[in-house]
Amino acid sequence: MSTNNLSEEAKTRLMNFFNNTIDPKGMAKVIRQANYLLALGAMREQTLQNETINLENSFYWLNELAEILNPYLDVE
């Protein structure tokens, strides 16, 4: 596991994300839901409709967090 420190910009973005967008407990829930659904889908090779909707929501929040940690889509 890496021990690199976050830049001040990344820290600020994370604070804003968790203060204004989604709370840390909600984000942890999203991550756990995504992990569960990915594992379930791999085991079943299919997903149910409700699980697919949860996975879509989880994907959105994980992508938002990734953009905060390392902006990729905003770079021109």
Side-chain angles (χ1 to χ4, degrees):
M1 179 176 219
S2 178
T3 59
N4 294 339
N5 293 327
L6 292 174
S7 69
E8 289 302 315
E9 181 181 353
K11 288 178 187 178
T12 301
R13 288 175 180 239
L14 279 170
M15 292 297 293
N16 288 335
F17 181 72
F18 286 120
N19 287 331
N20 301 320
T21 306
I22 187 171
D23 65 291
K25 287 183 181 180
M27 188 66 199
K29 182 178 178 181
V30 164
I31 291 169
R32 289 182 183 105
Q33 286 176 335
N35 286 339
Y36 167 76
L37 293 174
L38 291 170
L40 187 63
M43 289 187 293
R44 290 185 180 173
E45 295 185 12
Q46 64 182 2
T47 57
L48 301 173
Q49 185 63 30
N50 287 340
E51 292 167 341
T52 302
I53 291 168
N54 286 337
L55 185 58
E56 289 171 1
N57 291 335
S58 298
F59 176 81
Y60 173 79
W61 290 116
L62 289 172
N63 189 61
E64 287 292 305
L65 180 58
E67 282 301 303
I68 287 166
L69 294 172
N70 184 12
Y72 177 77
L73 298 175
D74 292 339
V75 176
E76 295 181 13

